[in-house]
Amino acid sequence: MNPWFGKAAFIVSLISMMVIRAPHGKRSGQVKIRESRKGRLEIALLVLMSITTLILPVISIASPLLSFADYGLRVFPFLLGSACAAMGLWLFYRSHADLGLNWSISLAIRQKHQLVTGGVYERIRHPMYTSIFLLALAQAFLLSNWIAGPLYLLAFLLTFPLRLGPEERMMLDTFGDEYGAYVKRTKRLIPNIW
Ligand code: SAH
């Protein structure tokens, strides 16, 4: 099928992500940070994620620079990618709404930070990361380019194991047993549905 169907679906998904995140970034940015654990590695990983989800796709869509890595788009990956994007966007929206003013792009505890264990957080400990995983899968299926398609997924697979440990340690240091009990009753990325 025409690769532009995949590119168009990806563009809609990327713009939706930005539209969902923008008001949360603005609102939570007004709440002061009490403790930041943003190190050099964290900054490097955030840059890597931005390059692979924004810059490489824009280059591959808007210029011929990466066209040597293009391949044909097929119907099944297109449908699978669209389904992953739809599920990912819903969860991305819900996790931002449930986390509210406690959200940060990096590892930080805000003033009056509250431990959120309701909404989608009742069933998954890291729903936003699950949503990003789904959106990275969507990108890999929708962009039929061997570089711009899968690299965000690879960046995610590198970033999140390195981030989860320090994030959970920070939450445990801040919320103690309350977080410990939450860890016991939830899984990291897979919802507890029974
Ligand atoms: N890992 C979570 C949140 C990602 S945003 C998810 O995937 O949904 C990252 C910030 O969220 C961290 O800096 C931390 O301060 C905050 N955070 C993570 N889990 C939280 C929770 N259950 N309640 C409140 N804040 C949380």
Side-chain angles (χ1 to χ4, degrees), residues 133-162:
F133 176 61
L134 287 168
L135 290 161
L137 274 179
Q139 179 172 329
F141 287 128
L142 293 173
L143 287 186
S144 47
N145 179 285
W146 289 115
I147 295 173
L151 277 190
Y152 185 48
L153 187 59
L154 286 181
F156 174 89
L157 293 175
L158 175 74
T159 299
F160 286 86
L162 291 170

Side-chain angles (χ1 to χ4, degrees), residues 104 106-108 113-114 116 121 126-129 167 170-171:
S104 305
S106 64
L107 297 188
H113 201 115
Q114 288 180 331
V116 176
Y121 285 82
H126 300 287
M128 203 174 287
Y129 299 159
E167 179 169 331
M170 178 184 78
M171 297 302 288

